[in-house]
Amino acid sequence: MIRIMKKYTLNFKTSQAKSVAMSSYPGNVFSTDDYYITSQNMVVQETSIENFNSSMWKGLNATNFVFEFIRNTVANRLATSGAEWATVFSRLNSGTYNNQFMIVDYKRLENKTVQPGLLTVLEQMPNLIVYADMSEHLKEHTYWYNTTICYNSHLNLSPFVFLSPALGLPTMCPSSSRCTVKAEMSEWRRRMTSTLTTRPLVRSSLRETTTR
């Protein structure tokens, strides 16, 4: 089916973003690959993150949840900032279709200067959602780096999560025993080699996005 860029303008009283543009297919009311531009001058995109720990699926809530694409759609309409988007999206987590969302609020880019709130990063797993303002990281490094593996060590759910700090990427949370994953260098090399050969790195920035 033809891939198209579409725009929905809906003048709901509660909507902060009256218009949302997205890459999508004819007949779909959401993007399917989660790339959105809202009239609040915000861009929302994601890349999926893996859950290698099957025991975490026990955290799924089968009675009180809303699926990801609906929470995404609602957050796009109600949010005026990255923090608001993350707050709305975090409600009634289904724990399915788990992603790292990158929310860029261009209202926080003043005179080409990065302001707090420009980049908000959210990660979802079956029983937990974490998010943080990563604008300072973006300001320092000029890009946001994603590997389809959890960036935040609070999501300590698989043996592969240690790859992020091992590759020189700081965690969102302060350094502590809870946040830092330690591994022998030999084990790190073995896992990194086996993982990166099957899971290509993804680099996302304000200027370009390379998708899987």
Side-chain angles (χ1 to χ4, degrees):
M1 189 177 290
I2 298 174
R3 193 78 170 151
I4 61 174
M5 191 73 178
K6 61 171 64 175
K7 179 180 179 181
Y8 285 119
T9 299
L10 303 170
N11 195 28
F12 297 133
K13 291 183 178 179
T14 55
S15 291
Q16 300 300 314
K18 304 299 183 183
S19 297
V20 176
M22 68 191 82
S23 55
S24 186
Y25 294 104
N28 281 0
V29 296
F30 61 100
S31 172
T32 72
D33 66 356
D34 290 331
Y35 181 81
Y36 301 93
I37 303 172
T38 81
S39 56
Q40 279 291 327
N41 241 2
M42 294 170 56
V43 172
V44 178
Q45 62 179 342
E46 58 84 359
T47 186
S48 297
I49 49 180
E50 301 290 348
N51 176 16
F52 296 100
N53 186 347
S54 60
S55 66
M56 288 203 68
W57 297 118
K58 297 178 181 179
L60 288 176
N61 186 338
T63 58
N64 188 29
F65 70 90
V66 175
F67 283 123
E68 180 274 344
F69 78 95
I70 300 176
R71 291 182 288 121
N72 188 346
T73 300
V74 172
N76 287 340
R77 293 286 175 179
L78 296 183
T80 63
S81 67
E84 287 184 5
W85 193 99
T87 299
V88 174
F89 181 84
S90 298
R91 297 171 184 166
L92 302 176
N93 177 20
S94 63
T96 56
Y97 189 40
N98 297 299
N99 301 304
Q100 179 191 95
F101 277 92
M102 296 148 277
I103 306 99
V104 179
D105 183 0
Y106 280 97
K107 299 188 298 295
R108 307 305 300 164
L109 188 63
E110 300 178 4
N111 298 321
K112 298 184 179 180
T113 302
V114 173
Q115 302 294 326
L118 175 65
L119 174 63
T120 302
V121 176
L122 175 147
E123 291 181 332
Q124 170 190 304
M125 275 292 155
N127 57 0
L128 180 65
I129 288 180
V130 294
Y131 59 90
D133 183 357
M134 301 303 293
S135 303
E136 282 300 316
H137 175 89
L138 183 65
K139 185 176 182 179
E140 180 180 355
H141 298 281
T142 72
Y143 67 91
W144 176 256
Y145 182 92
N146 181 277
T147 62
T148 73
I149 297 170
C150 294
Y151 182 85
N152 193 310
S153 292
H154 277 105
L155 296 174
N156 210 355
L157 32 103
S158 83
F160 299 101
V161 80
F162 74 91
L163 282 175
S164 289
L167 288 171
L169 305 176
T171 58
M172 294 181 195
C173 50
S175 177
S176 67
S177 58
R178 181 184 181 188
C179 298
T180 304
V181 181
K182 297 181 179 179
E184 295 290 337
M185 284 302 296
S186 59
E187 181 70 2
W188 171 79
R189 291 191 184 97
R190 183 185 68 80
R191 292 183 179 180
M192 185 180 72
T193 301
S194 62
T195 303
L196 297 186
T197 53
T198 57
R199 314 191 81 77
L201 300 181
V202 178
R203 169 174 168 153
S204 298
S205 74
L206 297 179
R207 296 182 294 277
E208 68 172 355
T209 302
T210 303
T211 58
R212 291 170 284 120

